[in-house]
Amino acid sequence: MVFVNENYLKLKGGYLFPEIGRRVEAFKQANPQLVDRIIPCGIGDVTEPLPPAVIKAMHDAVDELAKRDTFRGYGPGSGYDFLKKAIVENDFSARNIVIELDEIFISDGSKCDCGAILDIFGKDNRLAITNPVYPVYVDTNVMAGNTGLGNDDGSYEGIEYLPCTAENDFVPAIPTKPVELIYLCYPNNPTGTMINHDQLRAWVDYALANDAIILYDVAYEAYVSDETLPRSIYEIEGAKKCAIEFHSFSKNAGFTGVRCGYTVCPKDVHAVTKGGERIKLHSLWTRRWNTKSNGVSYPVQRGAEAIYSTEGKKQVRILVDYYMANAALLRKGCEESGMKVYGGIHSPYVWVVCPSGTDSWGVFDKLLTQLQIVTTPGAGFGSCGEGYFRISAFNSLENIKEAVNRLSGPVFSK
Ligand code: MLT
């Protein structure tokens, strides 16, 4: 008899986005005449093609692989230096942040790394996770056996939930109970809101003072439209001693299907053994990569490198601006329909207060069945998400205009 990982049995329900997909599929089956009307604004999946510079670089890389002289086999597990150099120069040196090449680990995306990073942490860390939250942080901890059982409201024993509400501008207060492994994500998914330097500094100071580690997800940093706001936690002094940062090329350069991102694990971040010995997490993460991965494919890494070329940067800017214009339309449309809206200024997500009397799955159903707009119910991101729904601006301009037009109709007007 083979034993299963029973931690999986603690998971409450399916992963949020497949569950939404299931409900949309059921609606399509029951209403085939409405299938073409459906506007998907649920999962944050990009719709616009890859930047031309990326496409060319990937084509060229495939051509290299087609010839004996330029063929490459296994690459370095944590990524090629050509991509790491482009990252260091553009994402860090350009902002006066010193990150070394071997502190960058190229991966198939930040979602994957957010889960994989748990390999290098022990089991008894006190977790602090925002509520609402990108469900991956919670579910991967459940799977890894870092939590207790689930409760009816979707929370799990053993996690210190940090409420993010309109009252605290969706930036959690420093916890009163001690915590060790802290997940933060800004621009925030799902609320679409941002953190400022002082707020982020308070968290870094907390981590430094309490020997805690911050897992900082900046998958949406390209959407920060105010230069005074932090695009990396390493803009904060001391963060290189207490933070690991996750980056993605999905949301800026449209790599949701191509798959590439990177994690920064500075050499100064330490955790301890039960015996009290301080261990560099960088060594463990390197070891993990060398053992469990052969890295991301060469054409994909060449494509990612092209994001940082002069042309690539311009093309990525156009993509980001395109989705941000959509977000502005969604914000305006919802407000004109009498809804209270957050986010959507430094992020492609608009976080909308549910019209009174309807909970977030109720709004989801209403929008799907009456307007054929797919959104994400706030409750799917945690109990503090109840009372909100998220609209993704990742769509064509035409679809967003049509969604706004439908939202202005009787379903949600005052
Ligand atoms: C989301 O919709 O929250 C994201 O697309 C999920 C993801 O990036 O994995």
Side-chain angles (χ1 to χ4, degrees):
M1 199 62 93
V2 176
F3 298 109
V4 296
N5 177 351
E6 291 191 30
N7 296 310
Y8 279 62
L9 308 182
K10 294 182 202 159
L11 289 164
K12 292 272 176 185
Y15 183 58
L16 174 61
F17 294 106
E19 172 59 19
I20 288 173
R22 197 190 57 73
R23 289 182 186 222
V24 172
E25 207 41 54
F27 176 78
K28 285 182 179 171
Q29 295 292 329
N31 302 277
Q33 76 288 3
L34 293 177
V35 166
D36 291 345
R37 256 180 69 81
I38 293 175
I39 302 180
C41 294
I43 190 165
D45 193 5
V46 293
T47 55
E48 302 311 300
L50 294 171
V54 168
I55 296 167
K56 178 168 185 328
M58 289 173 73
H59 279 163
D60 289 350
V62 172
D63 287 343
E64 278 182 57
L65 298 182
K67 294 181 217 118
R68 176 171 292 279
D69 287 355
T70 47
F71 174 77
R72 297 181 188 228
Y74 290 128
S78 67
Y80 283 102
D81 275 357
F82 62 74
L83 176 54
K84 293 185 181 188
K85 275 185 190 142
I87 289 169
V88 164
E89 275 167 30
N90 289 279
D91 290 348
F92 299 105
S93 306
R95 294 183 202 140
N96 297 320
I97 300 168
V98 178
I99 295 290
E100 292 173 22
L101 290 194
D102 63 355
E103 293 175 318
I104 304 279
F105 297 78
I106 311 294
S107 74
D108 60 339
S110 56
K111 175 185 185 178
C112 318
D113 278 359
C114 285
I117 197 80
L118 293 178
D119 274 8
I120 64 170
F121 290 108
K123 295 285 167 226
D124 301 321
N125 295 310
R126 285 170 291 194
L127 302 168
I129 298 187
T130 56
N131 179 7
V133 73
Y134 178 40
V136 169
Y137 313 149
V138 174
D139 288 4
T140 53
N141 273 290
V142 177
M143 291 169 173
N146 296 341
T147 71
L149 293 174
N151 301 312
D152 287 343
D153 64 357
S155 66
Y156 290 87
E157 297 299 324
I159 296 180
E160 175 72 9
Y161 285 94
L162 309 172
C164 291
T165 61
E167 288 66 42
N168 61 18
D169 289 331
F170 303 98
V171 175
I174 302 289
T176 45
K177 286 189 195 157
V179 292
E180 284 134 352
L181 204 49
I182 302 157
Y183 285 79
L184 295 176
C185 168
Y186 289 97
N188 186 250
N189 181 13
T191 65
T193 54
M194 209 20 211
I195 195 165
N196 65 35
H197 276 93
D198 289 343
Q199 291 164 323
L200 192 52
R201 187 172 303 113
W203 276 101
V204 170
D205 289 348
Y206 173 87
L208 291 172
N210 292 278
D211 255 339
I213 289 174
I214 300 173
L215 300 178
Y216 197 63
D217 184 350
V218 291
Y220 299 89
E221 59 90 13
Y223 291 83
V224 176
S225 57
D226 177 345
E227 281 303 314
T228 67
L229 295 173
R231 290 180 60 170
S232 164
I233 197 165
Y234 304 119
E235 291 177 32
I236 309 293
E237 201 182 334
K240 275 173 65 182
K241 292 198 173 113
C242 65
I244 294 175
E245 187 167 88
F246 303 98
H247 287 249
S248 169
F249 298 125
S250 289
K251 315 293 172 162
N252 60 346
F255 273 44
T256 52
V258 174
R259 306 307 309 155
C260 195
Y262 68 91
T263 292
V264 186
C265 184
K267 289 184 201 121
D268 286 345
V269 185
H270 291 83
V272 290
T273 63
K274 291 266 170 176
E277 186 190 352
R278 283 175 75 76
I279 304 284
K280 264 187 206 307
L281 287 179
H282 181 272
S283 309
L284 303 192
W285 189 231
T286 304
R287 184 73 172 81
R288 186 231 169 246
W289 269 94
N290 291 341
T291 303
K292 290 199 175 182
S293 177
N294 282 320
V296 176
S297 78
Y298 176 67
V300 166
Q301 291 194 60
R302 280 293 184 199
E305 179 193 25
I307 294 170
Y308 295 101
S309 65
T310 308
E311 282 312 302
K313 282 191 229 177
K314 282 188 209 149
Q315 292 159 4
V316 165
R317 190 69 252 158
I318 290 169
L319 275 179
V320 170
D321 288 348
Y322 182 87
Y323 294 125
M324 283 315 291
N326 286 350
L329 282 178
L330 284 169
R331 275 185 64 92
K332 187 161 170 283
C334 289
E335 279 169 352
E336 284 175 359
S337 300
M339 289 183 268
K340 177 84 182 140
V341 170
Y342 298 94
I345 294 173
H346 304 293
S347 139
Y349 296 132
V350 177
W351 189 240
V352 190
V353 177
C354 294
S356 68
T358 319
D359 69 11
S360 63
W361 277 107
V363 169
F364 170 86
D365 284 335
K366 221 166 169 177
L367 290 175
L368 176 61
T369 56
Q370 296 185 29
L371 300 184
Q372 288 77 59
I373 301 173
V374 181
T375 56
T376 309
F381 299 105
S383 58
C384 292
E386 186 50 275
Y388 296 88
F389 64 102
R390 192 190 79 174
I391 314 181
S392 163
F394 288 119
N395 218 312
S396 66
L397 175 62
E398 295 69 33
N399 272 352
I400 293 295
K401 281 185 178 161
E402 176 58 20
V404 167
N405 182 36
R406 291 186 205 169
L407 285 166
S408 70
V411 175
F412 281 130
S413 53
K414 273 191 261 186

